[in-house]
Amino acid sequence: MTAGVPMDRFDAMQAFARVVETGSFTRAAQTLHMSRTTVTQLVQQLEARLRVRLLNRTTRQVNVTDDGAAYYEHVSRLLADLDDAETSLSSFAASPRGRLRVDVPAPLARFLLVPALPSFQARYPDIQLDLGVSDRNVDLIDENVDCVIRGGMLTDPSLVARHIGDLQAGLYAAPQYLSTVGMPDHPKALEAEPHRIVGYRGSRRAGIMPYALRRGEETLTVHGRHQLAVDDGNAYLAAGVAGLGVLWLPDYVAAAHAERGELVRVLTDWQVDPMPLHIAFRPNRHVSAKLRVFVDWVAALMAEHVPVILPAHVDIEPTRDG
């Protein structure tokens, strides 16, 4: 075993995990309030104990090996569980702390969540939030994510979820698009020349999402014709603003662009069915104080901007333990 600092297995695993997360021995040492030498020795001792190389080091960067990546997945779960065990004690309940991994859709992060985060951080300064921003379906267990926020109906019955809002939406197009092809007079016009939509895929393997529309007692589903399809909400919005087609947008996303004249609402006599919004996390797991306060904070934020208007399809108390 490497000479120097006696190895504590917990400290060594924590040091290794922090090097992976920060990509640097120096930054890991700073966040752990250790010297760089101590962090280096702990990782070396851990590698000696395991008899594998966990990290590849050069003068400029640190990269995790295949064995290191597999080991990190186990270590990060273990450290999270230990942290949850501590923060579940009454002495920590008043001040939740620790790392919280969250994944949210790109537009929600951009327009609602991130602008409001200063208030969350001021209230809970000891919670480190790792925010994944994507529109893909995240595997909470495999990717070690604590919770996700997703729009639409939840199809995974293994998740515990809370219905936190309903996204009201409309159809929008850029003025340059409308000046070129004209204003559509009916939703079905979007399925024929000269009109087109910007297609949206929930994942790379999914088809283009259709949309349900209502006008009085009349209902229909529109697929639209497209020349461009994307799988990211921010790219979807940018394509519409660039005049590449008609968009289905939540009102909170479209509002600022409509005020600036970048988007115009079309087919205003038709209503888009609201989309339920959920925050979901894994079952059979203690709901830590940090997760509980985050869920409650997000629910309050959504109640202000996109309140619940539909019957709850999947709705449980966020304090439920598995």
Side-chain angles (χ1 to χ4, degrees):
M1 185 171 289
T2 305
V5 178
M7 189 185 81
D8 178 279
R9 289 178 68 184
F10 174 81
D11 286 344
M13 288 189 292
Q14 190 175 48
F16 163 70
R18 197 60 57 86
V19 172
V20 173
E21 291 160 2
T22 62
S24 162
F25 280 87
T26 300
R27 288 193 291 271
Q30 291 170 345
T31 62
L32 291 171
H33 305 291
M34 296 179 179
S35 70
R36 187 184 188 283
T37 300
T38 299
V39 172
T40 300
Q41 289 182 344
L42 285 170
V43 173
Q44 289 175 341
Q45 291 168 356
L46 185 62
E47 289 178 320
R49 174 186 173 82
L50 298 173
R51 299 181 182 179
V52 297
R53 179 172 290 277
L54 300 173
L55 300 168
N56 287 321
R57 310 154 177 86
T58 69
T59 56
R60 294 187 176 183
Q61 62 183 0
V62 178
N63 295 314
V64 66
T65 65
D66 290 343
D67 286 332
Y71 185 65
Y72 171 76
E73 291 302 318
H74 294 289
V75 165
S76 59
R77 290 192 186 103
L78 176 60
L79 294 175
D81 286 341
L82 287 172
D83 187 61
D84 287 350
E86 286 188 351
T87 57
S88 68
L89 300 175
S90 58
S91 60
F92 289 103
S95 182
R97 64 178 176 84
R99 184 182 180 193
L100 191 66
R101 300 170 179 86
V102 181
D103 196 88
V104 303
L108 189 74
R110 176 181 174 186
F111 290 98
L112 292 185
L113 197 63
V114 172
L117 276 179
S119 67
F120 180 80
Q121 292 183 331
R123 187 172 180 183
Y124 302 108
D126 296 323
I127 294 179
Q128 175 192 339
L129 192 63
D130 286 5
L131 191 65
V133 179
S134 71
D135 294 339
R136 63 187 180 88
N137 289 324
V138 171
D139 189 313
L140 278 75
I141 296 177
D142 286 349
E143 300 183 47
N144 197 27
V145 172
D146 292 294
C147 69
V148 297
I149 302 175
R150 286 292 175 262
M153 298 301 298
L154 293 179
T155 58
D156 187 347
S158 69
L159 295 179
V160 177
R162 181 175 178 183
H163 183 193
I164 56 173
D166 292 302
L167 303 179
Q168 301 206 59
L171 283 76
Y172 294 85
Q176 61 266 40
Y177 168 86
L178 297 174
S179 66
T180 301
V181 303
M183 183 75 70
D185 57 3
H186 191 275
K188 287 298 182 182
L190 301 178
E191 298 184 338
E193 292 278 3
H195 287 289
R196 61 186 183 274
I197 66 166
V198 178
Y200 178 80
R201 298 179 183 274
S203 70
R204 292 187 182 274
R205 289 173 290 189
I208 301 301
M209 291 181 60
Y211 293 88
L213 294 158
R214 300 178 183 275
R215 184 175 61 180
E217 298 299 319
E218 184 180 4
T219 62
L220 55 83
T221 299
V222 176
H223 293 269
R225 78 181 264 280
H226 69 278
Q227 292 177 300
L228 171 68
V230 299
D231 63 357
D232 172 81
N234 284 332
Y236 179 76
L237 174 62
V241 172
L244 296 175
V246 175
L247 301 172
W248 280 259
L249 287 178
D251 291 342
Y252 79 87
V253 173
H257 297 278
E259 289 176 5
R260 293 194 295 265
E262 297 170 345
L263 292 173
V264 176
R265 190 156 189 165
V266 301
L267 298 168
T268 56
D269 54 338
W270 288 84
Q271 291 185 322
V272 178
D273 281 353
M275 177 182 290
L277 191 67
H278 297 90
I279 185 166
F281 48 92
R282 290 170 279 172
N284 302 321
R285 175 182 171 87
H286 173 77
V287 179
S288 63
K290 63 187 176 185
L291 178 57
R292 182 178 295 114
V293 298
F294 180 76
V295 170
D296 287 343
W297 177 78
V298 168
L301 180 66
M302 296 304 109
E304 179 182 352
H305 295 280
V306 288
V308 172
I309 59 174
L310 297 174
H313 299 285
V314 182
D315 197 358
I316 61 94
E317 289 300 317
T319 54
R320 170 182 166 182
D321 292 339

